[in-house]
Amino acid sequence: MRAFDPNRRQWLRAAGFGLAATAVGALPFAARAAARSRLILLGTAGGPTPKPDRAAPASAVVVDGVIYVVDCGNGVARQMVQAKLDLGAIRHVFLTHQHSDHDADYGNLLWLAWAARLHTRVDTWGPPPLAAMTRDFLRMNDVDIQIRIKDEGRPPLAPLIVPHELNKGGVVLQDEHVKVTAALVAHPPVVPAFAYRFDCPDRSIVFSGDTRPTPALIELARNADVLVHEVMYQPALEKLIASEPNAARLREHLLASHTTTEQVGRVATEAGVKTLVLNHFVPGGDASLTDEVWRDAVAPHFKGRLVVGRDLMEL
């Protein structure tokens, strides 16, 4: 991990931002019990093609004004502005896996945030080849970056982005705001794919990422306050598949690597979560699938609080 220069470290301390640490230790939550986390669903669609009524997958956890972004689907920077989130307050970005609906705007988010008011370090976390992706993105956009450094007096962007490649589960980040734990989930053929648990001062929030039902996710989400989980409505798959030229392969992939409405309810029940938030809807662009359809398909299998996620919803 690249060390901060003394001036930047001094500024961060003065502003109240702590340094990221991967060491496991006691979090100073007791002294900050009044801190309240915010969970914002920035985009709730599933799949790479743009949808008219749902943005691409992305979420944000905010604690004491510090922003942790989970996944970077297309348009995430604009969705953050729509949610009235400060792009300059991004401190960490997490990718669940390397699929275009989750990483298409990984570089764009940081580049556009820097063009706004981001001028402090951002640590990014996710599967390989995260480091190469970061280097290649910066190289691809170097002309614009250098112009803005010279013309607008911005700090160099490359030193602000520090990627961390993940290959296994465990605690990946612990600071004064959150502890983040990753678990390997099953999303064939994409390996590795991760779910993340955020233990905040006031509650725990788990993001499933894309996955079929897996014991590792159930353990990660054990007794969590909130589980944000992908969901697939199997009766509508044939209509979706009929519009695709590779119908047989798509059907095989969806059934092998995603979680149906019945399964997501059972996963949440087994994990003992308090609130289940449906997210990453497949199909995601079918207007006939109302909130009631999704709720009625999951509710028989989960008796806790059930939320049908929508873009820009805050919980």
Side-chain angles (χ1 to χ4, degrees):
M1 182 181 293
R2 184 185 62 80
F4 285 131
D5 63 58
N7 291 334
R8 183 179 299 147
R9 187 184 298 270
Q10 185 177 11
W11 186 93
L12 282 168
R13 285 176 175 164
F17 297 116
L19 303 181
T22 54
V24 178
L27 291 174
F29 283 171
R32 301 173 51 256
R36 180 179 182 275
S37 60
R38 300 170 62 198
L39 165 61
I40 300 98
L41 306 180
L42 299 171
T44 59
T49 56
K51 312 296 191 297
D53 58 346
R54 292 185 185 273
S59 299
V61 174
V62 187
V63 182
D64 288 350
V66 177
I67 299 176
Y68 304 77
V69 177
V70 180
D71 282 329
C72 297
N74 174 244
V76 60
R78 185 175 186 277
Q79 291 298 103
M80 289 186 67
V81 172
Q82 290 281 86
K84 296 181 170 44
L85 293 176
D86 180 4
L87 293 175
I90 299 170
R91 294 295 175 269
H92 296 274
V93 174
F94 296 83
L95 296 184
T96 57
H97 63 292
Q98 299 291 3
H99 252 165
S100 56
D101 50 334
H102 295 259
D103 65 9
D105 270 12
Y106 162 69
N108 285 338
L109 172 62
L110 299 173
W111 182 30
L112 298 175
W114 172 79
R117 48 178 308 221
L118 178 70
H119 57 276
T120 53
R121 168 176 168 153
V122 177
D123 288 84
T124 66
W125 312 79
L130 186 65
M133 287 168 56
T134 305
R135 290 193 302 269
D136 291 346
F137 181 87
L138 292 168
R139 187 180 303 116
M140 179 177 70
N141 294 289
D142 189 60
V143 170
D144 175 86
I145 292 168
Q146 295 306 321
I147 288 172
R148 294 188 185 280
I149 290 172
K150 295 173 184 176
D151 187 46
E152 302 171 12
R154 299 185 182 280
L157 177 56
L160 300 182
I161 306 173
V162 183
H164 306 265
E165 293 190 348
L166 306 177
N167 288 286
K168 61 182 181 179
V171 176
V172 297
L173 167 69
Q174 191 162 309
D175 63 17
E176 68 268 41
H177 304 291
V178 299
K179 178 174 78 172
V180 182
T181 307
L184 286 165
V185 295
H187 185 54
V190 182
V191 178
F194 291 99
Y196 295 106
R197 177 177 178 132
F198 287 72
D199 285 299
C200 306
D202 59 335
R203 59 177 173 170
S204 51
I205 303 168
V206 178
F207 297 90
S208 72
D210 285 9
T211 180
R212 66 189 181 195
T214 173
L217 175 63
I218 292 172
E219 287 307 311
L220 184 73
R222 183 73 64 193
N223 300 321
D225 293 293
V226 181
L227 171 60
V228 182
H229 202 296
E230 68 134 89
V231 64
M232 178 174 65
Y233 188 66
Q234 195 166 347
L237 287 189
E238 294 307 317
K239 180 179 178 181
L240 168 67
I241 291 169
S243 65
E244 299 290 336
N246 58 335
R249 295 285 296 274
L250 180 59
R251 179 188 293 107
E252 181 181 350
H253 165 73
L254 292 174
L255 294 176
S257 61
H258 290 281
T259 304
T260 67
T261 49
E262 176 180 347
Q263 289 170 333
V264 71
R266 295 187 184 281
V267 165
T269 296
E270 187 171 349
V273 304
K274 298 178 179 65
T275 298
L276 171 60
V277 181
L278 303 182
N279 186 43
H280 191 279
F281 293 86
V282 178
D286 189 339
S288 69
L289 298 180
T290 64
D291 289 2
E292 289 70 25
V293 170
W294 293 104
R295 186 176 292 107
D296 290 347
V298 176
H301 313 288
F302 177 69
K303 300 307 178 185
R305 180 189 179 207
L306 178 59
V307 177
V308 180
R310 281 285 173 184
D311 291 3
L312 306 181
M313 177 183 284
E314 178 167 349
L315 299 109

